[in-house]
Amino acid sequence: MKTTDRDRQLADEFNGFWKQCLGRDEDYYSRLTLDGFVRLKRALGNINNIITLKTTLSFIDCLLAEKIVLLPQAAEMRRRVKETSANANGFDVCYSGGPDGLPLIAEVKCNIPVKKDRFGAAQEAGIRKDIEALLQGKRKMGVTDVSGYYKFMAVLDMADGSVRKAMEKLISGFSSDIRVKEYVPGVTRVDDTQVVYVVYVGASETNPKP
């Protein structure tokens, strides 16, 4: 019967990950003590917030690249996002516009499908809730009139296409009163405040500029 060297397997996976991220082939697994692994686990407790922040900032970069917003508006949105607590209530991006700015709100979702190409029940419920909030406002937070805002859902995409497939299956089950449309760069026109535009942000693009 084939035996497994559990320690070696974990070390190879751990070192392989850091080599890919840092570009250095070292035995990080052996260099870390148990206390070091515990501290690493604590540091990674914020990983979801980090991913959401990077995706949010990349979404704003996308708005700028697509000329949906101008540089001053993009800079202001980035400033507000960076200054807002990760646990704050409200929309992930909220910009009321200005003399030349486009009033918009956005929710950012970084769900990885629990199944191959389908979200789990809790994930689907969370995405649906956020889409409904974009269309109807957030009454518990006093944000009730969103009729004049353009609405976006920024979704962290994955290279294997699983997120897009899962989103397509979820959206296909919506009733006709929930209007959702995929934003296709260079093609889609943002001209309807009663539609939620789904913008896919590639995982390889989520490195915010300083």
Side-chain angles (χ1 to χ4, degrees), residues 106-118:
E107 290 286 10
V108 177
K109 305 302 290 185
C110 301
N111 298 109
I112 305 301
V114 296
K115 303 176 184 179
K116 185 175 181 180
D117 56 359
R118 194 177 190 95

Side-chain angles (χ1 to χ4, degrees), residues 78-85:
R78 289 174 65 87
R79 182 189 67 80
R80 292 184 186 183
V81 167
K82 289 182 177 182
E83 292 180 355
T84 301
S85 168

Side-chain angles (χ1 to χ4, degrees), residues 87-129:
N87 300 314
N89 293 321
F91 296 106
D92 291 312
V93 178
C94 183
Y95 183 70
S96 59
D100 302 308
L102 184 76
L104 65 88
I105 50 177
E107 290 286 10
V108 177
K109 305 302 290 185
C110 301
N111 298 109
I112 305 301
V114 296
K115 303 176 184 179
K116 185 175 181 180
D117 56 359
R118 194 177 190 95
F119 295 119
Q123 292 176 317
E124 289 188 346
I127 294 171
R128 184 186 182 95
K129 181 179 178 181

Side-chain angles (χ1 to χ4, degrees), residues 41-76:
K41 180 179 180 180
R42 288 176 178 171
L44 292 178
N46 276 325
I47 194 67
N48 288 335
N49 290 334
I50 293 171
I51 293 172
T52 299
L53 174 61
K54 286 178 173 288
T55 304
T56 303
L57 295 174
S58 289
F59 163 65
I60 295 173
D61 288 343
C62 176
L63 294 177
L64 180 60
E66 289 293 301
K67 299 182 181 179
I68 296 173
V69 299
L70 301 176
L71 184 59
Q73 287 84 47
E76 176 62 15

Side-chain angles (χ1 to χ4, degrees), residues 15-16 18-20 22-28:
N15 290 331
W18 291 110
K19 177 183 178 181
Q20 183 179 21
L22 304 178
R24 298 176 63 180
D25 188 6
E26 297 187 27
D27 188 1
Y28 300 99

